Amino acid sequence: MKLLGVTLASLGLASAASVSNKQKVSYDEWKVFRVNGPSNTAKFQEVVNKLQLDVWKGKPSSGDVVDVSVAPEQLAAFEASTKDFETKLMHENLGASIADENTFSVYAAGAVPNATWFNSYHSLADHYQWITDLAAAYPSNSEVISAGKSLEGRDIKGIHIWGSGGKGSQKAVVWHSTVHAREWITTMVNEYAAYQLLTSTDATTAAFKNKYDFYIFPVVNPDGFYFSQNSNRLWRKNRQTTPTASCIGRDINRNWPHKSWNQAQGASTSPCDEDYKGPSAGDGVETKALKAQLDSLAAGKGIQLYMDIHSYSQLWMYPYGYTCSGTLPNSATYASLTKGAIAAVKAVHGTTFTGGPICNTIYQVSGDSVDYALENAGTKYSMTVELRDTGNYGFVLPANQILPSGEEMWAGLAYLLKNMT
C-alpha cells in the first residue's frame, strides 16, 4: 500500500490499520490470504511480525486459521516465508474489492425508509439521516436518541422503540454495532432489526415492542467509522490519541471498566496494536458515553438483553470473554437460547453459525462490553455475534449480502425475544 508515494513498510508502522495519518490509504494490489492452521506457530508469528502484517482474523500463535492482508511489496517475502503452509487467496486485489463495496447509493433525506436502503452501504451522514427519517415515520412509538458525543463531536446516535405501554415502560433491550469501524455489515444488520420492529405488522413483532423498550445504536464508533469510509477502509479503533504519538485509537471493546481490564490476557498494552485497551479502564470518550447510557438503563427498569454485533466468522456467543474456565450460573439457558437462535438463522438462508462462550469459541477478551453488561450493569442476558462470512470476503463483504445478512440475523434475534424469560 502506498501513502502519498511512501510505503508503510518503509515507515516502519505496525500495520496499515494502525496508521494515524488522515490521508487516504490505497489498498490497490493488496492481497488477503487465509493461512490454514499453521503447525509451526512460532515461524508464522515471526512472519507476521517481520512483515508487519495486518491480521484480520485469528491469533498467529494459536495454530488456528489466520487471515492476513499483504501489501504488494511484501508479497514475494510472504510467499517465500509461507511456502510450507497451506494458504488460500481471499482477495486478489483488495483495492478493487473495496471499490466495489464503496458504491454508495444516493439517499433522499426526508423519505420514508424502505427496504431499498439495504441494497448498498451508506455514508455516515446518510446513516444519521436514515435514523432520523425512520423515527419521523413512526412518531408514536420511536424517537431519535444519543448516547453522547464522540471524541470528534459526533453524536452516538440511536433509535428508541417502544410499544403500547409508552416509552420507558418496559425492561430494555440494547443493541450495539460498528464498535470496530471496519465492520460495515454490522451497521446495516442492526438497522435492519430496527426497521423490522417498526415496519412489521405481525402480532409477534408487536408483542416484542409491547414487552421491551429497544435502544438500538447502529454506529457506536462514529469517528472510526467515518475514518474507515474516508481515509482507511480497514480502520478498527476509535480516533483518540495514545501515549505513542504515531499510533491512534483504543479498541472500545477492550476499554470497558470491567474487573478484567487489569488482567494480562485478552487485550494489548501496546498503543499500536489493534486490540489496545487504553492507558486506563474506561478512559475512551465513546466508552464513557456508552457506559453511562447502559448504566442509566440498568438503574431504571433494568436490561433484559444486551447484544454487541460484530463481523466476521459466523459465531453466536455469550460470557465469559475474560476467562476460559469460568462457567455462567445459567449457562444451560444461554446454551439453549444460542442453539435456538443459530437454528433460526440457518432456516432463513442456510447460513451456519457456531455457538458457545466467547473465550472458548473465538479467543480471550478482557475489558469487553458483554462481560461489563452482565456483571456490572446486571443485564439478564448478554451476548455477541460475529456476522458473515467465514473467510471468503471477511470485512469487505459485498453489498448483495446485506439483505440476507439482515434477514437471517433478525430471525435469530426474534428467536431470543420470543424465548428468553
Side-chain angles (χ1 to χ4, degrees):
M1 176 183 70
K2 293 188 176 181
L3 190 60
L4 290 185
V6 181
T7 65
L8 285 170
S10 68
L11 292 174
L13 298 179
S15 72
S18 300
V19 178
S20 60
N21 199 308
K22 291 187 177 182
Q23 292 156 333
K24 185 91 173 172
V25 172
S26 169
Y27 286 95
D28 290 347
E29 304 305 325
W30 278 60
K31 298 184 187 300
V32 180
F33 291 93
R34 165 157 290 184
V35 182
N36 290 313
S39 56
N40 189 340
T41 56
K43 180 181 177 182
F44 185 59
Q45 182 70 67
E46 182 181 346
V47 172
V48 171
N49 293 344
K50 182 179 179 181
L51 299 180
Q52 300 180 328
L53 301 178
D54 184 19
V55 178
W56 283 26
K57 174 183 176 178
K59 299 283 185 180
S61 59
S62 68
D64 296 329
V65 167
V66 181
D67 298 342
V68 293
S69 57
V70 181
E73 63 270 20
Q74 298 168 324
L75 183 59
F78 174 81
E79 291 179 335
S81 301
T82 58
K83 61 184 179 181
D84 295 328
F85 300 142
E86 181 185 348
T87 62
K88 170 191 171 185
L89 184 63
M90 291 169 57
H91 289 277
E92 173 69 33
N93 182 345
L94 181 56
S97 299
I98 290 172
D100 290 341
E101 181 198 42
N102 280 359
T103 306
F104 297 162
S105 63
V106 177
Y107 179 68
V112 176
N114 58 58
T116 61
W117 174 257
F118 304 101
N119 291 339
S120 71
Y121 293 100
H122 303 275
S123 69
L124 177 61
D126 280 355
H127 281 292
Y128 281 168
Q129 186 62 51
W130 186 86
I131 292 170
T132 298
D133 292 343
L134 185 65
Y138 300 90
S140 62
N141 59 339
S142 68
E143 64 180 353
V144 174
I145 55 175
S146 175
K149 297 286 188 180
S150 68
L151 174 73
E152 297 175 353
R154 295 182 176 91
D155 272 315
I156 302 175
K157 194 170 186 176
I159 187 167
H160 175 202
I161 299 171
W162 62 87
S164 59
K167 65 179 179 180
S169 62
Q170 305 294 334
K171 290 188 73 173
V173 170
V174 182
W175 295 333
H176 287 174
S177 55
T178 331
V179 178
H180 295 144
R182 61 192 177 187
E183 297 169 6
W184 291 8
I185 186 61
T186 69
T187 320
M188 302 301 299
V189 165
N190 207 3
E191 288 174 344
Y192 185 84
Y195 179 77
Q196 287 300 311
L197 283 169
L198 286 171
T199 63
S200 295
T201 57
D202 62 282
T204 300
T205 305
F208 296 158
K209 291 182 287 188
N210 293 337
K211 190 173 183 180
Y212 303 113
D213 273 60
F214 292 84
Y215 300 83
I216 300 172
F217 293 91
V219 184
V220 301
N221 179 11
D223 297 348
F225 185 59
Y226 181 85
F227 191 76
S228 77
Q229 290 194 326
N230 293 278
S231 295
N232 185 344
R233 175 61 186 86
L234 295 181
W235 188 260
R236 170 183 165 105
K237 300 184 284 185
N238 74 357
R239 295 294 300 161
Q240 201 164 341
T241 58
T242 72
T244 301
S246 63
C247 292
I248 294 291
R250 287 146 183 69
D251 182 341
I252 297 173
N253 201 37
R254 303 295 188 276
N255 188 243
W256 285 74
H258 179 261
K259 64 183 180 183
S260 63
W261 186 89
N262 287 310
Q263 72 183 36
Q265 300 81 28
S268 175
T269 58
S270 172
C272 294
D273 286 350
E274 297 282 35
D275 59 348
Y276 174 53
K277 66 182 184 178
S280 60
D283 76 322
V285 174
E286 296 81 11
T287 315
K288 290 177 182 177
L290 296 168
K291 173 189 176 298
Q293 199 268 343
L294 203 65
D295 290 348
S296 176
L297 294 175
K301 296 290 183 178
I303 304 170
Q304 178 74 4
L305 172 66
Y306 172 76
M307 178 70 73
D308 193 21
I309 303 172
H310 290 267
S311 73
Y312 60 99
S313 285
Q314 294 173 200
L315 305 173
W316 198 295
M317 300 174 288
Y318 49 88
Y320 298 108
Y322 70 95
T323 176
C324 293
S325 58
T327 302
L328 284 168
N330 55 343
S331 60
T333 302
Y334 267 99
S336 177
L337 287 171
T338 297
K339 182 179 179 180
I342 288 173
V345 167
K346 188 169 185 177
V348 180
H349 294 293
T351 308
T352 300
F353 276 57
T354 299
I358 298 167
C359 190
N360 304 99
T361 306
I362 186 167
Y363 42 63
Q364 192 171 22
V365 177
S366 59
D368 63 299
S369 63
V370 171
D371 287 332
Y372 181 91
L374 178 72
E375 297 192 331
N376 295 70
T379 301
K380 185 163 186 182
Y381 297 106
S382 189
M383 294 182 169
T384 184
V385 293
E386 297 277 350
L387 301 176
R388 292 187 181 194
D389 56 7
T390 56
N392 289 323
Y393 299 101
F395 298 120
V396 188
L397 195 69
N400 63 11
Q401 295 200 34
I402 294 172
L403 185 58
S405 294
E407 290 169 340
E408 65 196 15
M409 185 60 186
W410 172 243
L413 291 172
Y415 178 88
L416 288 185
L417 296 172
K418 187 176 181 179
N419 291 279
M420 63 184 182
T421 58

